[in-house]
Amino acid sequence: MDNPNYKSGFVAIIGRPNVGKSTFLNRVVGQKVAIMSDKAQTTRNKIQGIYTTDEAQIVFIDTPGVHKPKNQLGDFMVKSALSSLNEVDAVLFMVNADEKRGAGDNFIIDRLKTVKKPIYLVINKIDQVHPDDLIVIVDQFKNALDWKEVYPISALEGNNVNELLNKLVDNLPQGPQYYPDDQITDHPERFIVSELIREKVLQLTRQEIPHSVAVVVEKMARQDEQKIHIQATIVVDRSTQKGILIGKGGSMLKKIGTLARQDIEHLLADKVYLELWVKVVPGWRDKASALQSYGYRKDDY
């Protein structure tokens, strides 16, 4: 690195489920690395998104939404979220502009009291509220912690996002460039492919298939010069869910595959042949062996 004043660091994004953390991360890196859904608890693993300029590099860690766990998977997600706060240079605590401060926010704020790093209050979704309502939200949070700064933003529209990035860079320590200029995440492609498929399941099945779904990429190999062949299994815990996912005459599975393939082709910049199967594994979210094999490992937090 030629620039002796180059800055770099790690920034965690934390908040209740569904406050827009993944939307923010995708906005910052300019490509989809975290899946988006209007269902709570969409993000299950810590996802690193990498923002690089000539002057600095910020490695963002998008934590799963902190919530009261109901099973081993939920317990994994909360531990994963809270563990990241001890490893970073700054923390973004994100809240919704269109929701009042609640018990979930208070739980996170309580945990943040032990964090010795700068904490920024980021009020997202300002595009959904009247400016006068924003003042009320800021007032609810402003004395809760000794915030480094308070930033109202819209991750969806981009309002104030660059200003926040500039402020983060200003306060980063001098350091090396950890990742190449063109790398936007540290996750292997297989993981992102599985997440893109899971996103389509959540989007298309709405209430019928809640969070009892995992996606495992079984095979990902170049078929020929024109195409990459991907085989993936969607895992659910009830046979009724399998029926919903397949749909009449396979129609739902085909729709999931078509939409996922478009995103995967954009990610890989290549043509993709995608094959999907659905498998029932009763109670997989409470089975340690299943959690391990589907990518939720204790080593990840």
Side-chain angles (χ1 to χ4, degrees):
M1 177 58 60
D2 298 332
N3 183 354
N5 300 315
Y6 197 84
K7 292 180 161 192
S8 62
F10 294 79
V11 175
I13 314 169
I14 194 162
R16 280 197 292 173
N18 210 19
V19 294
K21 299 183 294 292
S22 297
T23 309
F24 173 79
L25 191 66
N26 292 336
R27 156 79 55 184
V28 166
V29 303
Q31 193 175 325
K32 189 181 280 188
V33 293
I35 76 170
M36 295 185 289
S37 162
D38 56 7
K39 290 188 176 184
Q41 301 168 36
T42 305
T43 302
R44 285 191 186 153
N45 304 65
K46 290 186 287 188
I47 295 187
Q48 293 198 331
I50 303 155
Y51 169 78
T52 307
T53 68
D54 292 340
E55 288 78 41
Q57 185 170 76
I58 306 175
V59 181
F60 285 98
I61 300 168
D62 173 27
T63 58
V66 175
H67 61 288
K68 195 170 181 180
K70 296 190 177 83
N71 47 44
Q72 281 192 36
L73 174 59
D75 191 47
F76 167 85
M77 288 161 69
V78 173
K79 283 179 179 168
S80 179
L82 295 172
S83 72
S84 65
L85 303 182
N86 304 313
E87 316 160 348
V88 295
D89 299 289
V91 176
L92 302 183
F93 173 46
M94 192 172 287
V95 300
N96 260 354
D98 59 353
E99 284 183 10
K100 289 189 171 71
R101 178 175 164 181
D105 296 311
N106 295 335
F107 174 76
I108 298 168
I109 288 166
D110 206 43
R111 301 308 292 252
L112 289 175
K113 286 175 181 171
T114 61
V115 175
K116 304 287 187 270
K117 305 291 184 180
I119 303 169
Y120 296 77
L121 174 63
V122 180
I123 300 168
N124 191 20
K125 306 189 184 181
I126 60 170
D127 52 299
Q128 297 184 13
V129 298
H130 190 276
D132 293 348
D133 298 333
L134 193 56
I135 298 162
V136 178
I137 285 286
V138 172
D139 283 347
Q140 285 180 19
F141 286 96
K142 71 177 180 189
N143 297 320
L145 271 179
D146 184 16
W147 308 111
K148 174 79 174 170
E149 300 267 357
V150 178
Y151 273 89
I153 70 161
S154 167
L156 194 63
E157 305 286 341
N159 309 26
N160 239 4
V161 171
N162 285 340
E163 289 80 354
L164 173 57
L165 290 172
N166 292 338
K167 178 58 73 172
L168 288 172
V169 168
D170 287 346
N171 289 288
L172 282 180
Q174 288 185 358
Q177 182 174 330
Y178 293 101
Y179 296 95
D181 290 352
D182 58 352
Q183 189 170 342
I184 59 166
T185 183
D186 75 335
H187 271 304
E189 285 174 341
R190 273 177 178 248
F191 173 82
I192 301 176
V193 165
S194 71
E195 285 289 89
L196 291 174
I197 297 166
R198 192 165 70 89
E199 176 185 58
K200 302 311 171 199
V201 171
L202 293 176
Q203 281 176 357
L204 291 170
T205 59
R206 317 300 297 171
Q207 269 60 49
E208 298 100 330
I209 309 288
H211 286 270
S212 49
V213 61
V215 176
V216 183
V217 174
E218 314 279 2
K219 174 186 173 183
M220 191 166 154
R222 181 160 288 286
Q223 194 172 13
D224 50 45
E225 284 181 24
Q226 277 78 41
K227 210 166 268 189
I228 294 168
H229 187 189
I230 298 172
Q231 294 175 326
T233 302
I234 302 169
V235 181
V236 292
D237 61 7
R238 290 202 300 276
S239 54
T240 51
Q241 294 168 338
K242 180 176 180 177
I244 291 164
L245 274 179
I246 292 172
K248 193 174 180 182
S251 58
M252 179 56 78
L253 198 59
K254 187 177 179 184
K255 201 181 289 185
I256 291 166
T258 301
L259 291 178
R261 180 179 51 75
Q262 289 166 359
D263 273 1
I264 295 165
E265 286 182 341
H266 181 70
L267 171 77
L268 302 178
D270 224 323
K271 288 285 181 198
V272 166
Y273 173 59
L274 178 62
E275 281 186 282
L276 295 177
W277 287 274
V278 183
K279 179 178 169 186
V280 181
V281 181
W284 71 264
R285 288 176 296 172
D286 273 317
K287 291 178 179 169
S289 59
L291 290 172
Q292 287 260 336
S293 63
Y294 303 153
Y296 307 111
R297 299 178 181 87
K298 281 197 167 60
D299 296 351
D300 291 340
Y301 62 76

